[in-house]
Amino acid sequence: METMVESTVQLERFGYLPVENVQALASKNLDNIPSRYIRPEIESDVVSADESLQIPVIDVSKLDHEDEQKKLHFACKDWGFFQIINHGVADEIIEQMKTDAQEFFDLPLEEKMVCAQVQGHIEGYGQVFVVSENQKLDWSDMLFLIGQPVHLRDTRFWPTNPSSFRETMDKYTTELHKVMIQLMKLIAKNLGTDPEMLLSLFENEIQAIKMNYYPPCAEASKVLGASPHSDATALTLLLHANEVEGLQIKRDQKWVPVKPIPGAFTVNVGDMLEILSNGEYKSIEHRAVVDPEKERLSIASFHNQKMGTQIGPLPDLVKTNKALYRTIPVEEFRKMKLTSKQDGKFMIRKMKL
């Protein structure tokens, strides 16, 4: 019988096509960006100019109050995105994570390539979900690591330069797991389901960290740092690691720029939570744009159900309501995700009944 580790490793063994390092490409100061990065379709996109239109802000220190719990429910149901403040993660851990990530991406390419992806693995330094020679490419590089549980970490992809990186990552991922559990308890309460049942799906969660580096681009209006997509996770906690903005979410057929609050995390409902909630909460399409002059750096923490569980509407929520999504093993869900080009709400379309 397979062990959980073997099952997880096999799920990650899918080949992605190698492409040129974008940071190195950007350093050439090309007059013309390669055509695979140019997105003619975004010329007609409408970006909201209403600066008052911002995602909700949740004060985690007040979540024992009913009013703040209602705000969380509204944020998950109406927006699918929100920022959290007073979340309990120490400033020094956040700042050190930002510093270590920046120092890694500042290294010469040959030093970063020590952590490069190898064929058949999603982890490491490079790009991800490039499955076709004709696929349009994102103007970004990334470092993708498994953070939790500890026994699934593949440390050959964990940088040793900067020297503090591994210790910082260990502290950071541990603290974000705690924040996720705290939010999930309140989400269960807001959904009217048993918190212990929901939390049991995340006891040994698969937590992945994706550090995104978006180089400046002279033709920034023609490229995307991240293509429009929804996250195939339960919750994503995003840290904006420098002052450059770029995250946009889709709302009422417009792209709404997110204005990050210093020290806050931007949280979004993922496909898993939309399915678990039987559609009560919505996983929202989002994308990243790039800056013509400045680099952007963000750190996403993806929180997923543990292996060996079923993903589908929570039983409490379909006693009197029709199930809107299929129920399948998490392993099958992850295989679907990892073997297909990710665009729009791909996983939700696959799971709808």
Side-chain angles (χ1 to χ4, degrees):
M1 183 176 177
E2 284 184 342
T3 67
M4 186 179 294
V5 176
E6 289 169 341
S7 176
T8 302
V9 170
Q10 286 180 9
L11 280 171
E12 307 298 356
R13 287 180 178 165
F14 296 106
Y16 298 113
L17 300 178
V19 294
E20 188 171 0
N21 179 271
V22 179
Q23 191 173 4
L25 183 63
S27 69
K28 296 177 182 179
N29 297 315
L30 300 174
D31 291 331
N32 296 298
I33 302 300
S35 60
R36 286 190 73 185
Y37 295 94
I38 301 297
R39 307 291 189 96
E41 72 276 9
I42 68 175
E43 293 180 11
S44 59
D45 288 348
V46 178
V47 178
S48 174
D50 184 358
E51 294 195 0
S52 67
L53 189 63
Q54 283 299 306
I55 61 176
V57 178
I58 304 300
D59 187 337
V60 177
S61 69
K62 295 180 180 177
L63 278 174
D64 55 343
H65 299 155
E66 188 176 346
D67 287 350
E68 205 69 17
Q69 292 174 21
K70 288 180 179 178
K71 282 177 62 178
L72 175 62
H73 183 58
F74 171 80
C76 293
K77 184 175 181 177
D78 190 69
W79 280 87
F81 265 85
F82 52 96
Q83 297 192 67
I84 55 172
I85 59 174
N86 298 322
H87 40 66
V89 182
D91 289 345
E92 53 265 31
I93 293 177
I94 291 175
E95 292 306 314
Q96 191 61 53
M97 190 74 268
K98 290 179 180 179
T99 299
D100 286 354
Q102 184 69 62
E103 289 184 8
F104 172 77
F105 284 106
D106 285 344
L107 292 172
L109 179 59
E110 59 269 21
E111 291 191 48
K112 292 194 288 283
M113 291 302 290
V114 171
C115 301
Q117 293 168 303
V118 296
Q119 182 62 30
H121 285 263
I122 192 173
E123 293 183 72
Y125 174 66
Q127 290 80 27
V128 72
F129 299 133
V130 180
V131 297
S132 162
E133 295 286 356
N134 300 318
Q135 183 178 331
K136 287 292 185 179
L137 300 176
D138 292 336
W139 190 258
S140 61
D141 298 318
M142 64 99 198
L143 176 64
F144 190 97
L145 303 170
I146 298 298
Q148 300 287 344
V150 173
H151 69 273
L152 289 186
R153 294 175 179 174
D154 193 335
T155 54
R156 62 182 159 158
F157 300 114
W158 285 48
T160 55
N161 187 9
S163 60
S164 57
F165 185 97
R166 292 186 174 191
E167 182 181 355
T168 304
M169 177 67 80
D170 180 61
K171 292 178 180 177
Y172 184 78
T173 56
T174 299
E175 290 302 305
L176 263 63
H177 174 77
K178 294 176 185 176
V179 175
M180 182 275 296
I181 291 295
Q182 188 176 4
L183 291 174
M184 279 296 184
K185 285 181 181 177
L186 273 299
I187 283 171
K189 182 178 178 181
N190 283 336
L191 288 172
T193 191
D194 179 13
E196 293 306 316
M197 181 176 66
L198 182 58
L199 290 179
S200 70
L201 301 176
F202 297 93
E203 285 172 349
N204 293 299
E205 64 149 336
I206 306 294
Q207 178 198 29
I209 299 292
K210 183 167 177 270
M211 299 184 175
N212 305 292
Y213 180 85
Y214 306 98
C217 180
E219 297 186 85
S221 63
K222 298 180 181 179
V223 305
L224 287 173
S227 302
H229 66 284
S230 62
D231 292 343
T233 61
L235 286 178
T236 300
L237 277 67
L238 181 74
L239 177 64
H240 302 269
N242 66 9
E243 76 285 353
V244 180
E245 298 173 6
L247 175 63
Q248 296 180 345
I249 70 170
K250 199 164 193 178
R251 185 173 176 85
D252 298 330
Q253 303 306 310
K254 294 181 180 179
W255 290 103
V256 178
V258 172
K259 304 286 184 184
I261 298 170
F265 290 103
T266 299
V267 182
N268 64 278
V269 171
D271 297 341
M272 280 186 174
L273 187 51
E274 175 171 335
I275 293 163
L276 289 166
S277 72
N278 200 36
E280 179 81 0
Y281 293 164
K282 297 297 184 186
S283 176
I284 300 300
E285 207 172 340
H286 53 284
R287 70 181 187 179
V289 297
V290 300
D291 191 275
E293 298 177 351
K294 299 177 182 178
E295 65 184 8
R296 176 173 177 254
L297 182 62
S298 68
I299 304 171
S301 179
F302 302 117
H303 298 268
N304 305 272
Q305 276 183 230
K306 67 181 180 182
M307 307 303 282
T309 59
Q310 297 279 316
I311 178 165
L314 291 166
D316 285 350
L317 305 182
V318 291
K319 287 178 179 177
T320 58
N321 296 307
K322 178 184 175 183
L324 302 179
Y325 306 87
R326 295 191 288 145
T327 295
I328 63 173
V330 161
E331 290 82 356
E332 184 180 337
F333 183 86
R334 284 172 62 80
K335 183 176 180 180
M336 241 187 336
K337 171 182 179 284
L338 292 169
T339 55
S340 304
K341 179 179 179 293
Q342 306 297 293
D343 62 340
K345 296 187 66 171
F346 165 80
M347 294 300 292
I348 293 297
R349 294 197 303 269
K350 283 281 189 180
M351 290 292 291
K352 279 267 191 178
L353 286 172

